[in-house]
Amino acid sequence: MNQQAQWLLPDGVEEVLPGRARAIEQLRRGTLDLYQRWGYELVFPPLIEFLESLLNGAGRDLERETFKITDQLTGRLMGVRADITPQVARMDAHSLRRNAPTRLCYCSSALRTRPAVAGGTRLPYQIGVELFGHSGVDSDLEVISLLLETLRLAGVDNEVVLDLGHVGLFSGLLADCSLSDAQQAQLEDILVRKARVELETFLADSGLPDAASKALAALPWLAGDAAVLGEAREIFQDFPAALAALDELDTLVSVLSQRGVTLHLDLGELRGYHYHTGCVFAAYLPGESEPVAKGGRYDHIGEVFGRARPATGFSADLKMLSARTVAAGDNGILAEGSLQDADFAAAVAALRDQGERVVLALPGADNDAQLLGCQRRLVQGDNGWVIQDL
């Protein structure tokens, strides 16, 4: 192996250099402070844990994305988390066990066996919130509102299109259909891919009632602006559960539209159907195929941990979210003196206590102020140490 190859990183694994790291960290601090003001408590789920716990419940869908290793202490298989949401659900259900609504937030790295898109990262820096213990449109609206505030902090709120759907539409249509589990899985796969010809063939062979067949045939193509809700009501008029889901979407659309949010409705969206139970949403930026943030309602996520509390939340990759933000510029102070001088050391300490960034000019070093991020300097004046602009 040549010397250059020794420093190559695996595909999808990247290092973050100072300028980008500063932008990410500034956004992290701002978002966590925002979540604290909304009443969300910070938690730190473990990076690694036993596989059967990590891939339980909603985590089952992450099996192919999870790196697995053998624990040298017990011989049991362990997994490195690919997503933090199921871990937070376990903390609510098993560790905290509160009766009141619980608001939790987190920010940490995850690791995936493959990137979501070609050329993407396998090391997302995941930030998110989860609200447990309330079922209804009000908690959905709280979480979506907090997502929009997060996007505002990142400076991309004016660019975002919020995609809205509701898996209750599909489950509401299936309630009156006598389909086996295998048939339901096949139908779900067809709808996710929006495979029109396959869907027509499936419905023709399934023997479903005409109303259900018509509604399922229309579902993948019910997308667009708020007008699609009226069209859907006509098609779903014989399905009360689907109409209830439409009512929830109607409320969300009404409130968010009044706030000037750019919306796109996709009533056939089945992302995460296995664990989502209500509204689902995703925030897209222009030119991006992957959402910058996504979430929804998953009322059964804690069931495998003994407590199926209603839940809603969202997560985002902080590295992706910060890609269009610019970190605040450096305005540091280059301190030209020696810590052996008590007055100089006191002056430097006082400036740092005031929140200033002070970089020491080391003897014999190339103390290039620009490279060190300094636009001012601390020098010895007639009456003590003074700051000058460079």
Side-chain angles (χ1 to χ4, degrees):
M1 179 180 294
N2 60 43
Q3 188 173 18
Q4 182 178 2
Q6 293 179 35
W7 310 115
L8 290 177
L9 292 170
D11 289 343
V13 175
E14 68 284 339
E15 55 194 7
V16 182
L17 298 179
R20 180 87 190 285
R22 186 168 64 250
I24 293 171
E25 177 61 12
Q26 287 178 358
L27 184 57
R28 184 194 69 85
R29 295 183 188 187
T31 51
L32 291 181
D33 286 345
L34 170 69
Y35 300 162
Q36 191 274 334
R37 293 195 296 271
W38 281 56
Y40 287 77
E41 300 173 280
L42 182 64
V43 293
F44 291 92
L47 175 65
I48 190 169
E49 54 183 287
F50 291 125
L51 201 60
E52 55 266 33
S53 173
L54 196 63
L55 299 184
N56 222 331
R60 284 195 297 267
D61 287 348
L62 300 169
E63 201 276 336
R64 293 181 62 193
E65 297 181 47
T66 301
F67 276 98
K68 305 169 185 67
I69 61 175
T70 300
D71 180 15
Q72 298 299 307
L73 296 180
T74 65
R76 294 171 61 184
L77 275 178
M78 302 180 74
V80 181
R81 64 180 178 217
D83 187 274
I84 300 176
T85 299
Q87 296 181 295
V88 178
R90 185 194 63 233
M91 296 172 81
D92 171 73
H94 184 67
S95 302
L96 294 174
R97 302 192 63 81
R98 297 171 179 171
N99 291 322
T102 299
R103 294 170 170 87
L104 302 177
C105 64
Y106 57 86
C107 183
S108 197
S109 294
L111 176 64
R112 296 172 183 166
T113 58
R114 64 196 71 195
V117 294
T121 184
R122 292 194 287 169
L123 280 171
Y125 192 27
Q126 193 175 351
I127 192 165
V129 305
E130 310 294 335
L131 198 167
F132 300 96
H134 183 271
S135 179
V137 71
D138 289 300
S139 47
D140 290 329
L141 186 58
E142 175 178 325
V143 165
I144 293 174
S145 298
L146 189 50
L147 167 61
L148 295 173
E149 282 296 294
T150 302
L151 298 174
R152 183 187 62 80
L153 273 182
V156 297
D157 51 319
N158 292 328
E159 304 176 65
V160 163
V161 175
L162 188 66
D163 190 84
L164 276 178
H166 200 300
V167 300
L169 297 170
F170 180 55
S171 59
L173 297 179
L174 287 185
D176 292 334
C177 300
S178 300
L179 294 177
S180 66
D181 290 344
Q183 286 177 310
Q184 288 189 30
Q186 182 184 359
L187 178 57
E188 178 193 344
D189 176 66
I190 292 171
L191 292 175
V192 166
R193 292 185 290 110
K194 297 186 185 294
R196 188 187 295 271
V197 175
E198 290 183 49
L199 180 59
E200 291 173 354
T201 302
F202 178 91
L203 294 175
D205 296 340
S206 62
L208 294 176
D210 288 345
S213 184
K214 178 183 176 182
L216 287 168
L219 185 62
W221 323 115
L222 291 171
D225 59 21
V228 77
L229 295 175
E231 182 182 352
R233 287 191 185 280
E234 291 293 324
I235 298 172
F236 301 155
Q237 58 184 321
D238 297 325
F239 302 91
L243 291 176
L246 280 176
D247 289 340
E248 292 185 3
L249 273 181
D250 207 356
T251 300
L252 291 173
V253 169
S254 176
V255 174
L256 295 172
S257 295
Q258 291 176 14
R259 298 179 183 176
V261 180
T262 302
L263 298 173
H264 176 268
L265 302 182
D266 185 353
L267 305 192
E269 173 60 70
L270 294 181
R271 172 178 47 82
Y273 175 71
H274 293 298
Y275 58 92
H276 280 301
T277 58
C279 80
V280 291
F281 49 89
Y284 288 88
L285 293 175
E288 299 289 346
S289 60
E290 280 295 301
V292 70
K294 59 186 178 181
R297 176 163 291 280
Y298 21 71
D299 285 346
H300 303 305
I301 193 169
E303 190 170 28
V304 295
F305 305 115
R307 208 157 179 246
R309 294 225 292 169
T312 182
F314 74 84
S315 65
D317 182 355
L318 200 59
K319 290 192 288 189
M320 181 187 298
L321 193 60
S322 66
R324 303 192 184 200
T325 65
V326 178
D330 285 331
N331 188 25
I333 299 170
L334 183 62
E336 300 176 349
S338 172
L339 292 180
Q340 299 177 45
D341 182 333
D343 291 338
F344 172 78
V348 168
L351 287 169
R352 287 172 173 164
D353 287 343
Q354 296 167 21
E356 293 281 7
R357 178 174 182 267
V358 182
V359 181
L360 295 179
L362 297 174
D366 180 9
N367 298 298
D368 187 304
Q370 184 175 1
L371 291 178
L372 295 174
C374 298
Q375 283 73 46
R376 296 167 294 165
R377 64 177 183 168
L378 180 68
V379 296
Q380 179 76 64
D382 294 336
N383 297 311
W385 293 95
V386 295
I387 297 174
Q388 296 177 346
D389 290 330
L390 288 173

